[in-house]
Amino acid sequence: MMVQDKSLIKGLALNDIAVKGGKYVANWRAYKPEIDYEKCVACGLCISYCPEAAINQTDDKMPKIDYRFCKGCGICANECPQKAITMIQEDES
Amino acid sequence: MTQEFDVMPGNKAVAHGVRLARVEVVPVFPITPQTTIIEYISDFVADGKLDAEYIHSEGEHSCMAMAVGASMTGARTFTATCSQGLAYMHEVVAQATNYRTPLVMAIANRTLGWYWSLGPDYSDIMPEMNLGWLVNFVETNQECLDMTLMNYKIAEDYRVLLPTMMSLDGFYLSYSQERVYLPEIEMVDDWLPPYKAPYPVDPTVSKAWPSAMIPPALHTTYRKLHEDVMNDAKKVIAEVDKSYGEVFGRSYGGMVEKYRCEDADSLIVTMGSMTTAARRAVDKLRSEGEKIGLLKLRFMRPFPNEEIIELAEQVESIGVVDRVMMHGTGGGMAFQDIKGVLYNTEIKVPVQNFVTGLGGEDIPIDDLYVMGKKILKNKGRKLINEVEFVAHEFQAAAPPVEYEGDSCMHPGSDGCAGCGASIIARTLLDTLGENTVVINPPNCSGVNYGGVVKVPWVLGNFAAGAAYMTGVYRALRKKGKADKVYVTSYAGDGGTVDIGLQSISGAAERGESIIWLCYDNEAYMNTGIQRSGSTPLFSATSTTPVGSEWKGKPQRRKNMLMIMAAHRIPYIATASLSYLPDFKRKIKKAAEVTRAGEGLAYLHVHQPCTTGWYFDPAKTVEIGRLAVQSGAWPIMEIDHGVPKINVKPRELKPVKEYLAPQRRFRHVTDEQLEIIQGYINNDWDSYLRLEKDGKLPWY
């Protein structure tokens, strides 16, 4: 009889895509991007270009940075056609 | 005698050994944690400190074949690898023996997958142990240098004339700094004369050369002769060790080193870098009045039978620490060998095995002390537990952070700040959707993003990405799901244009309906920026450094677009992370042709790399744009044979604007710049002409 009971499999390490969340990387950051919503036209470029997927679109189409996932690379500020994002040095403390 | 010393990692000590031995041919291929050996050697060659043929191979199988070819033609040859690379060499490693090539290969040990780890254990070298090579293990960085020199003297002795593997533990030796004394090169010259092959494959010198073929009836005879040679090598090893000591002031005991064994009644057996910790454990037990000694196995092939029997007669208990598991035998490598040596003797001594340090985990002094205690307790007792696995508690990393968002990639990763590869991966997966299988030949994205995607991301082997995909695709097709799941690669330029090319070519020719995606950062970034077949002309990399003799990579990159077009596949495109709408359209097109079962779709995406190209991370997208606008990276597609340039600037920007912000090009002279600009103009004109002519005639 061939046994095919999953609970009897020994020593199998699994990748399970169902159980993961994001990775906290805020402590990498030396400069912090800040969006000036007066200037932002919600073009979405910063969302597309953020290497960390740390920028999301909110209900009013505006980008919102989740700073827990931002390494402060500055691509969003560099690419913003409205110059609406400024990189501000993190507090040393 | 005074000798200069420097503080350096083990890999640099090996490289100095290669320099001092005046090695003539050095074929290389990068793999962590070996790579810095070949980088240090490239620095020596680039600066004229070593006059050697340095060969950038396209994969380890070729690398080893180059080494064998060079050695059998009479050149003193060196190469280095480890882990997956050594496994990929395997076939040629066996061949090196019968051609009697006294080449020296450094193995900066790393675990062989499964399971993958960058840290060292001997699972990589274990499958190579019995192929007729001499195999030795070193403990310190000084020993790395000394053994590199000694190994040539042993291997090139006509009584031996065999290839030699020198194993240094990755990280613990390869990257750790220690004091290393450097002998004068003139002294080395006197001690180690140039290699003179007895039968080189050179018709101007010899009409005979070592044969790969003998009749089956002679196999047993010749294998017996080889075993005699291995045995004779023991004498040569002892001689060379003694002579090295006389000339350079350091010797290591030859086949083994005994530490505090004089009056020992118990013995702990180790090899490699763990030995240093074991010495301290033995010291501690000795200070408590225990009579325990240490045996360091320096050579594993040939195996030190005599030395082991001699000590086994003296002691009442032996413990063997193994950093490898020989699955199916119940124990480790040195353990099985030592038991085998003792079986047909009168000696009845318990031999216990400790299997530990797998995957590169540290083997601390405290553990070795406890092992020592257990060995002492075994005196005069029947063993209860022959093999003990010494594992440690797993310290889990920080738990995943909850967030809002619906991308196919989770936010946050281990990638460099400003990494372009993640922009490409996210665009790809968000466009293809969740019913996608990613096959990932090893690269930095696998390390950084493989764990943060919401689709199956399967680590393949470097040379076989497209073959893994073929297997997955054919299984899906057999089960009637070829139109429900996309199979795509996420491969780097090394895994595409170099080591992976044969596999891609096969899949393309067979018409497998899969998507090959190459993210091209123009070097082996995962192992630390070594030159690939996609590195552009004159770019400095860690294996094409700029020195007095070298001025960056001297060759132009491969034109993969045309290589793929020669396969007449339905869809081929280049893209850039700086032109995402164009890239998304191309992903959709690739999805369309593969879903229709038309064959392979090939996407080659340019990825400026802040770390490897040396520019401000904020400029990733900007640099990518400059590459396209200067014509350095033309964005094109070949749709069912019809070429089209998708982004056509009214006028190409001077390439200087693209190169200037990148430090990898900072050495470029006006003359070199002119050459680069010339090639770009020429390529651009060629593409315009192709576009004008319409469908490629061979489609």
Side-chain angles (χ1 to χ4, degrees):
Chain A
M1 185 192 70
M2 190 195 285
V3 178
Q4 292 195 326
D5 175 351
K6 275 188 190 177
S7 70
L8 294 175
I9 303 174
K10 272 189 200 170
L12 170 66
L14 281 178
N15 286 315
D16 190 344
I17 48 181
V19 293
K20 287 174 192 163
K23 184 183 162 74
Y24 182 85
V25 292
N27 46 0
W28 288 40
R29 205 164 52 225
Y31 291 87
K32 179 180 184 172
E34 280 192 4
I35 303 174
D36 179 348
Y37 287 101
E38 297 291 315
K39 291 185 185 167
C40 175
V41 294
C43 70
L45 270 186
C46 57
I47 298 173
S48 302
Y49 284 137
C50 174
E52 303 305 322
I55 314 180
N56 294 298
Q57 205 161 36
T58 55
D59 294 340
D60 58 356
K61 303 282 177 210
M62 285 297 184
K64 185 167 178 263
I65 300 170
D66 188 334
Y67 288 105
R68 297 174 302 170
F69 306 119
C70 171
K71 292 173 184 163
C73 68
I75 290 179
C76 53
N78 198 63
E79 293 311 313
C80 177
Q82 299 298 311
K83 300 281 166 231
I85 307 179
T86 325
M87 299 303 290
I88 297 169
Q89 192 161 3
E90 289 278 353
D91 192 349
E92 288 290 324
S93 61
Chain B
M1 132 191 40
T2 57
Q3 281 182 30
E4 276 195 47
F5 72 84
D6 204 349
V7 175
M8 66 180 79
N11 279 358
K12 193 169 187 180
V14 175
H16 273 295
V18 170
R19 176 183 62 81
L20 291 166
R22 296 193 194 274
V23 169
E24 297 169 282
V25 179
V26 188
V28 306
F29 191 79
I31 181 167
T32 305
Q34 166 278 126
T35 314
T36 56
I37 297 178
I38 61 167
E39 290 179 2
Y40 291 123
I41 296 174
S42 76
D43 286 341
F44 290 144
V45 179
D47 277 330
K49 290 177 183 158
L50 173 66
D51 179 16
E53 292 282 345
Y54 188 93
I55 317 172
H56 301 92
S57 78
E58 72 280 7
E60 286 96 348
H61 191 265
S62 300
C63 180
M64 192 66 216
M66 290 168 184
V68 173
S71 185
M72 69 191 289
T73 312
R76 181 170 287 162
T77 305
F78 174 85
T79 189
T81 191
C82 63
S83 187
Q84 312 299 127
L86 180 54
Y88 190 38
M89 281 181 179
H90 183 74
E91 179 195 5
V92 198
V93 170
Q95 205 68 71
T97 315
N98 83 269
Y99 288 131
R100 302 299 288 267
T101 53
L103 59 92
V104 173
M105 172 156 65
I107 309 295
N109 284 112
R110 165 182 153 189
T111 306
L112 177 67
W114 97 109
Y115 299 102
W116 282 54
S117 169
L118 297 176
D121 69 27
Y122 302 137
S123 51
D124 62 349
I125 203 163
M126 184 251 289
E128 314 301 322
M129 292 299 276
N130 303 320
L131 295 176
W133 286 49
L134 306 185
V135 183
N136 65 284
F137 289 73
V138 298
E139 179 190 352
T140 64
N141 293 358
Q142 183 69 59
E143 206 178 346
C144 286
L145 182 142
D146 294 337
M147 276 318 290
T148 305
L149 296 175
M150 280 195 253
N151 276 330
Y152 279 110
K153 185 121 173 159
I154 297 162
E156 292 171 4
D157 190 306
Y158 286 3
R159 289 170 294 173
V160 180
L161 210 63
L162 286 177
T164 300
M165 235 175 258
M166 179 176 82
S167 161
L168 60 143
D169 293 350
F171 292 81
Y172 296 108
L173 295 183
S174 73
Y175 298 154
S176 301
Q177 307 267 344
E178 282 182 343
R179 178 149 74 172
V180 175
Y181 287 91
L182 293 168
E184 295 289 331
I185 195 158
E186 292 76 18
M187 282 172 75
V188 178
D189 286 345
D190 286 343
W191 185 76
L192 181 68
Y195 172 53
K196 196 168 172 298
Y199 300 103
V201 184
D202 176 354
T204 66
V205 177
S206 174
K207 302 292 176 214
W209 67 96
S211 172
M213 310 277 275
I214 53 170
L218 283 177
H219 275 232
T220 309
T221 307
Y222 269 76
R223 291 290 183 182
K224 163 72 171 64
L225 285 171
H226 194 93
E227 212 44 27
D228 292 347
V229 173
M230 295 293 267
N231 213 38
D232 296 346
K234 293 179 180 179
K235 193 167 159 254
V236 179
I237 289 164
E239 281 174 22
V240 169
D241 186 66
K242 187 162 173 283
S243 135
Y244 194 85
E246 284 162 7
V247 176
F248 300 102
R250 285 180 301 275
S251 56
Y252 295 89
M255 294 287 290
V256 297
E257 186 195 333
K258 295 176 199 168
Y259 180 70
R260 305 189 79 164
C261 283
E262 313 77 42
D263 59 341
D265 61 14
S266 303
L267 188 68
I268 184 166
V269 184
T270 62
M271 55 211 281
S273 68
M274 70 167 100
T275 308
T276 309
R279 286 177 202 271
R280 301 295 82 81
V282 166
D283 289 345
K284 198 172 167 199
L285 288 161
R286 281 277 179 179
S287 72
E288 292 166 9
E290 303 288 2
K291 288 183 180 172
I292 190 163
L294 165 72
L295 179 71
K296 166 177 143 188
L297 299 171
R298 297 190 69 246
F299 275 82
M300 280 293 285
R301 295 292 181 272
F303 196 69
N305 302 35
E306 293 82 1
E307 290 83 352
I308 283 162
I309 289 173
E310 193 191 311
L311 271 172
E313 278 171 343
Q314 174 190 324
V315 300
E316 296 159 49
S317 172
I318 297 177
V320 185
V321 190
D322 261 312
R323 199 167 209 150
V324 64
M325 185 61 205
M326 301 245 286
H327 285 296
T329 72
M333 179 168 68
F335 169 67
Q336 302 292 14
D337 284 343
I338 289 174
K339 269 207 311 185
V341 164
L342 297 179
Y343 184 76
N344 279 332
T345 65
E346 298 299 314
I347 303 162
K348 285 278 167 260
V349 57
V351 183
Q352 168 142 36
N353 190 199
F354 302 97
V355 176
T356 189
L358 305 187
E361 207 193 5
D362 190 25
I363 307 176
I365 299 170
D366 289 352
D367 280 15
L368 289 153
Y369 173 80
V370 174
M371 291 176 212
K373 280 278 199 196
K374 285 179 182 166
I375 297 164
L376 287 158
K377 217 183 251 177
N378 286 341
K379 281 185 285 185
R381 277 205 332 184
K382 190 173 158 34
L383 274 182
I384 301 156
N385 183 14
E386 193 185 30
V387 181
E388 188 183 326
F389 290 79
V390 184
H392 296 107
E393 205 181 320
F394 174 60
Q395 304 281 336
V401 184
E402 281 182 36
Y403 68 96
E404 281 172 34
D406 52 3
S407 166
C408 266
M409 261 170 99
H410 297 285
S413 69
D414 290 328
C416 306
C419 173
S422 98
I423 302 173
I424 298 168
R426 187 150 49 91
T427 308
L428 173 76
L429 298 181
D430 282 344
T431 309
L432 292 178
E434 61 185 3
N435 282 335
T436 302
V437 175
V438 181
I439 300 295
N440 169 229
N443 52 40
C444 46
S445 288
V447 177
N448 297 326
Y449 311 121
V452 298
V453 293
K454 296 179 199 167
V455 300
W457 177 292
V458 182
L459 178 62
N461 295 94
F462 213 180
Y468 267 87
M469 293 166 75
T470 299
V472 172
Y473 168 68
R474 290 296 185 101
L476 288 167
R477 195 168 84 175
K478 183 81 184 94
K479 291 173 184 299
K481 290 182 192 163
D483 60 346
K484 291 180 182 64
V485 181
Y486 295 115
V487 183
T488 182
S489 72
Y490 203 69
D493 46 303
T496 300
V497 316
D498 288 344
I499 193 167
L501 185 57
Q502 172 177 306
S503 184
I504 300 165
S505 176
E509 184 265 338
R510 285 190 307 268
E512 310 292 348
S513 290
I514 56 178
I515 302 169
W516 187 268
L517 185 132
C518 167
Y519 74 102
D520 189 345
N521 44 33
E522 303 184 338
Y524 291 88
M525 296 311 178
N526 195 26
T527 40
I529 324 162
Q530 294 80 29
R531 158 243 204 260
S532 80
S534 205
T535 302
L537 186 66
F538 301 139
S539 171
T541 68
S542 58
T543 51
T544 55
V546 177
S548 59
E549 310 296 313
W550 286 5
K551 306 293 170 205
K553 185 191 173 190
Q555 301 93 357
R556 298 175 68 189
R557 71 195 302 169
K558 289 186 193 179
N559 186 335
M560 273 307 285
L561 201 66
M562 288 301 134
I563 291 174
M564 294 319 291
H567 290 78
R568 302 181 199 89
I569 54 175
Y571 190 66
I572 306 161
T574 55
S576 165
L577 62 80
S578 308
Y579 291 80
L580 287 181
D582 170 81
F583 177 35
K584 276 185 201 163
R585 181 182 66 77
K586 286 170 175 170
I587 298 167
K588 283 180 190 152
K589 182 78 193 178
E592 201 181 293
V593 298
T594 53
R595 184 134 294 181
E598 290 183 50
L600 194 142
Y602 181 87
L603 303 176
H604 199 126
V605 193
H606 198 227
Q607 183 241 313
C609 171
T610 166
T611 308
W613 299 7
Y614 303 97
F615 60 79
D616 175 358
K619 308 267 183 204
T620 299
V621 180
E622 190 181 320
I623 301 266
R625 213 158 31 231
L626 284 168
V628 174
Q629 290 170 356
S630 63
W633 185 256
I635 290 196
M636 302 178 53
E637 67 189 337
I638 300 174
D639 186 354
H640 295 85
V642 181
K644 183 170 165 43
I645 304 175
N646 306 107
V647 179
K648 222 182 276 179
R650 235 168 284 154
E651 198 179 345
L652 293 182
K653 286 189 170 162
V655 73
K656 196 177 176 178
E657 282 186 37
Y658 163 58
L659 304 185
Q662 304 175 45
R663 218 177 76 196
R664 62 174 176 155
F665 289 113
R666 71 172 162 180
H667 59 281
V668 165
T669 60
D670 288 346
E671 196 189 352
Q672 284 179 314
L673 191 66
E674 208 173 303
I675 295 170
I676 296 173
Q677 187 66 67
Y679 283 135
I680 286 177
N681 296 348
N682 191 48
D683 278 0
W684 187 256
D685 290 344
S686 312
Y687 293 137
L688 285 173
R689 222 165 34 235
L690 282 178
E691 188 182 45
K692 191 160 161 276
D693 288 351
K695 195 170 182 174
L696 298 170
W698 59 86
Y699 257 86

